[in-house]
Amino acid sequence: MAKKKPKYGDAAFLEYAKKIVNHANYAGMPDVIGERGEIQWEAPSNRKTGKFKDTHHRRREWWRLKAISIGIDPSTDSTWISKTAKAIHPFGKKPCKTCGKELDIAYAYPNEHLFARIRKLPYIDETFELSEVEHICDLIGRLDERFGARIYNDLPQLFVTTSIKIPNLAKDFDSWDEFLRKIYIPQEPRMLSPGAMSNPPDRLDGFHSFNRCCRSTADTGRSKENLKSYVTDRRVFEYWVDGDWVAADRLMGQVRSNSIFEQENCFNSAQGGIHPRPCQADHIGPISLGFTHRPQFQLLCKICNSGKNNRMYASDVRLLIDVEATGECVISWFAKEIWDRRKAAVRDAETGLRLSKLLRDNRHTYMLLLKKLLDRGFYTFLTSLLHLEAADFDPAFVGLRAVNHLTHFDSIEKKPRTTKYANEQKARRIRIAFASLADYHRKENRNAFVISNKRSESNFSKGFSELEKLRHATNDLDQKIAEIIGEKRVSESALRALASALPEVISVNSAAFSSVRDHFTRGMREVAIELDSMWNSDRYVRSAPGEIIE
Ligand SMILES: [Zn+2]
Ligand SMILES: [Zn+2]
């Protein structure tokens, strides 16, 4: 059933609308306030009667005069009105009326034309998620993290168009980031699309109310496959689990790009059936269920990997238990209790699925805790959960090979990164981690099931009050991070300065933060006890074949 939408949609949109109507750039806009004191955001051209039937025409005239005042000539330039809307927009980005997600109005987002080219790269497979609402520079950063500098040889052929030639650029992230932002995006290339389409004078700010995230699925070029990948954007979990994300990501990239894995068979191939090569990298313990980033992958063919759907095989659980016995950490702190209570109970596919579902609800409960931290502005503490220190090293694997359908290596060589590169990577991680956390809750999962009782809540509150007492120590950084995730435009250099200041503050407060984490761990233990008691309940036992664990 469709949810009834408030008139102004998401709260972030109403706040934005108020800022726009009060902004000097829109001074003199006709009929801004309606008869009941509300903002008249829309001015449809088909109003036949009433006091505001001419609003559309009057606003069009306002836009015409505005265009002239900024040097755009409406009589010779057929795109004058959208050009003007873009030129006078004071923020460069706007929230979506439907879901609240904030996107740039510029042509900064990849579209099907670009995706088609990316999918042709030999090292790209379905395990590299593509999203239409990821800023192109963030996508490049992610390609760099996974596949390394080799991507820069391929970028020119991804971005070239008949009208835009790609200059000779240095093969590093900085040079491409600058080129894309300053030269490529402003030319509105066909390989990219805007976060919001312009349509003055129908909307007061000159842009469609819904952004790229919520535009009609009937739009051209939007495949079903892509729609699905947007709806369940699983990358959010990557940021909030433990482990060395840099090493794990780099090894994942090797599975598709290193020829030593090309001939390895799918883990399930002994059971018969068709298992096309080359295989894909399967996280043995799914990140989305709270397992850590670990540089070890199972080789699964495309068919088996897409059929696995975030659940665990009984063999996965056995393998993870064996890895734990060697002293390695396979599960994140917030999921350890429920994992420890039930891992030995997994004997077959059904119990494997059951534990996967318990872990999913545990994770959702944890994500809600993170959301409360976000809402209350405990940004520095949240950042301490991101394992930014992993970015200080560039890992290389010695003796890399496939053994029994698993990746294997003898050792990892960790070369220190240059501070500049590491800070950029950290800054990007902070920004994306916070934005994706907000997105996750905005899309509020349909199956969302939050586990809570008095004891878990009381432990969580203790953690919150300790953080409250720490405010004096974290306030400066909290403020800076707030600027990054808020609507104020923050320069990349400010972001880098923050990334370089963070380790110090986190390490000075490490004892205090770890005491806060102890309270949260105790809270999550109470959550695990509740979940444990539901092991035989219908919610977890009953299952449909091929059920997807989100
Ligand atoms: Zn949206
Ligand atoms: Zn297979």
Side-chain angles (χ1 to χ4, degrees):
M1 220 170 60
K3 227 177 19 187
K4 196 167 172 282
K5 294 246 155 55
K7 186 169 167 56
Y8 287 107
D10 191 271
F13 188 80
L14 177 56
E15 207 182 303
Y16 162 78
K18 283 181 185 159
K19 264 190 225 150
I20 287 285
V21 300
N22 290 316
H23 198 281
N25 291 8
Y26 303 89
M29 178 70 71
D31 307 333
V32 167
I33 302 299
E35 285 184 291
R36 277 157 290 123
E38 81 286 11
I39 296 173
Q40 290 216 82
W41 194 256
E42 300 174 12
S45 55
N46 57 0
R47 263 188 204 144
K48 297 277 189 291
T49 56
K51 190 177 163 194
F52 298 116
K53 80 176 163 53
D54 294 325
T55 298
H56 183 88
H57 301 289
R58 298 180 56 208
R59 286 194 181 173
R60 194 176 175 84
E61 180 58 13
W62 181 93
W63 282 102
R64 202 182 65 81
L65 296 173
K66 181 59 92 176
I68 293 166
S69 79
I70 59 169
I72 294 171
D73 182 0
S75 61
T76 57
D77 188 341
S78 63
T79 61
W80 66 271
I81 192 160
S82 60
K83 254 186 205 156
T84 306
K86 290 171 200 169
I88 70 164
H89 198 278
F91 315 124
K93 47 185 173 180
K94 64 171 277 289
C96 173
K97 183 176 178 180
T98 310
C99 75
K101 185 173 174 63
E102 197 169 65
L103 293 179
D104 286 10
I105 60 173
Y107 276 60
Y109 301 93
N111 58 31
E112 276 303 320
H113 299 298
L114 188 70
F115 288 155
R117 289 184 181 177
I118 292 177
R119 288 195 191 100
K120 281 191 193 132
L121 295 174
Y123 43 88
I124 295 292
D125 63 28
E126 289 80 356
T127 58
F128 188 82
E129 284 187 38
L130 296 171
S131 160
E132 292 185 313
V133 291
E134 179 178 28
H135 194 285
I136 186 60
C137 293
D138 294 336
L139 173 59
I140 301 301
R142 223 154 43 82
L143 280 165
D144 182 322
E145 279 163 26
R146 186 164 301 179
F147 302 105
R150 62 181 300 166
I151 65 154
Y152 298 105
N153 296 323
D154 295 323
L155 292 189
Q157 77 201 47
L158 292 186
F159 288 108
V160 70
T161 69
T162 43
S163 55
I164 307 175
K165 301 283 166 276
I166 309 297
N168 265 327
L169 296 169
K171 296 183 196 312
D172 59 46
F173 179 80
D174 264 4
S175 310
W176 276 89
D177 183 75
E178 187 174 318
F179 165 71
L180 290 171
R181 287 179 198 274
K182 292 196 178 141
I183 298 165
Y184 193 74
I185 290 171
Q187 295 184 70
E188 307 193 343
R190 66 182 285 274
M191 311 313 291
L192 300 177
S193 296
M197 305 285 283
S198 54
N199 84 332
D202 287 49
R203 300 290 177 272
L204 197 146
D205 63 347
F207 291 89
H208 278 286
S209 298
F210 47 86
N211 287 354
R212 183 163 176 75
C213 40
C214 293
R215 76 194 200 284
S216 159
T217 53
D219 277 8
T220 50
R222 192 173 168 84
S223 69
K224 271 200 185 118
E225 191 190 331
N226 243 352
L227 184 65
K228 201 176 75 198
S229 82
Y230 172 63
V231 172
T232 52
D233 196 344
R234 298 201 195 104
R235 279 174 303 136
V236 56
F237 310 119
E238 290 182 19
Y239 304 102
W240 302 104
V241 301
D242 292 336
D244 187 340
W245 48 281
V246 174
D249 207 32
R250 185 55 59 82
L251 181 60
M252 193 170 192
Q254 289 283 307
V255 169
R256 191 59 189 246
S257 63
N258 192 321
S259 59
I260 60 175
F261 295 112
E262 248 167 46
Q263 293 307 312
E264 185 65 19
N265 281 317
C266 172
F267 173 80
N268 294 326
S269 55
Q271 297 165 26
I274 298 164
H275 303 273
R277 282 181 305 208
C279 285
Q280 302 182 340
D282 166 51
H283 281 101
I284 300 151
I287 297 295
S288 64
L289 300 184
F291 289 94
T292 56
H293 288 290
R294 234 165 32 84
Q296 186 189 30
F297 294 91
Q298 179 165 262
L299 293 152
L300 286 184
C301 73
K302 185 179 164 166
I303 299 164
C304 289
N305 202 20
S306 75
K308 200 177 166 190
N309 283 337
N310 272 353
R311 72 182 71 193
M312 285 186 292
Y313 300 145
S315 62
D316 295 334
V317 175
R318 281 195 299 274
L319 189 140
L320 290 167
I321 291 173
D322 289 348
V323 170
E324 269 187 321
T326 69
E328 219 185 302
C329 172
V330 305
I331 190 90
S332 303
W333 65 277
F334 62 87
K336 187 164 185 341
E337 184 73 25
I338 185 61
W339 162 248
D340 283 344
R341 281 169 181 262
R342 283 296 173 185
K343 61 191 173 191
V346 173
R347 295 196 170 78
D348 51 21
E350 189 275 323
T351 41
L353 178 60
R354 231 196 278 186
L355 179 55
S356 303
K357 291 189 199 171
L358 287 177
L359 285 164
R360 174 201 56 197
D361 286 345
N362 183 77
R363 178 224 55 213
H364 186 74
T365 301
Y366 175 59
M367 295 298 281
L368 198 70
L369 174 64
L370 292 182
K371 175 66 166 39
K372 286 181 187 154
L373 288 162
L374 187 72
D375 290 344
R376 292 171 69 165
F378 296 123
Y379 301 134
T380 308
F381 175 76
L382 278 172
T383 307
S384 77
L385 301 173
L386 293 176
H387 295 277
L388 296 177
E389 68 283 355
D392 290 327
F393 298 96
D394 186 11
F397 302 94
V398 180
L400 190 59
R401 62 197 183 275
V403 178
N404 289 330
H405 320 288
L406 289 169
T407 60
H408 250 272
F409 54 84
D410 298 322
S411 59
I412 304 185
E413 267 176 15
K414 289 189 169 183
K415 273 184 285 172
R417 285 269 194 206
T418 65
T419 314
K420 184 164 176 269
Y421 181 93
N423 283 345
E424 277 165 8
Q425 209 182 9
K426 288 175 190 178
R428 207 163 47 237
R429 192 168 178 84
I430 297 168
R431 182 165 46 73
I432 300 171
F434 281 69
S436 65
L437 182 59
D439 283 352
Y440 174 83
H441 290 281
R442 208 171 272 139
K443 281 183 249 161
E444 204 55 41
N445 206 308
R446 303 155 299 287
N447 296 321
F449 187 60
V450 174
I451 311 294
S452 158
N453 64 26
K454 262 194 196 132
R455 290 180 305 277
S456 68
E457 288 308 309
S458 127
N459 281 300
F460 291 156
S461 314
K462 281 179 199 156
F464 280 109
S465 39
E466 282 197 11
L467 282 171
E468 221 41 272
K469 283 181 216 144
L470 273 176
R471 283 272 193 205
H472 65 279
T474 61
N475 210 19
D476 282 1
L477 265 188
D478 287 344
Q479 294 284 317
K480 282 195 187 123
I481 302 171
E483 284 174 26
I484 292 173
I485 57 175
E487 53 262 282
K488 280 178 223 156
R489 300 276 262 177
V490 176
S491 68
E492 285 287 314
S493 63
L495 210 52
R496 282 172 212 155
L498 170 73
S500 69
L502 260 170
E504 171 81 20
V505 179
I506 290 176
S507 98
V508 166
N509 292 293
S510 71
F513 281 171
S514 110
S515 157
V516 171
R517 267 242 315 246
D518 288 344
H519 289 300
F520 292 160
T521 304
R522 281 192 279 276
M524 290 307 293
R525 185 184 303 148
E526 296 299 334
V527 169
I529 291 168
E530 290 279 336
L531 280 166
D532 189 25
S533 71
M534 290 187 278
W535 177 252
N536 291 310
S537 78
D538 275 1
R539 177 171 176 85
Y540 301 111
V541 177
R542 257 197 226 153
S543 67
E547 187 178 352
I548 294 171
I549 310 273
E550 274 174 23

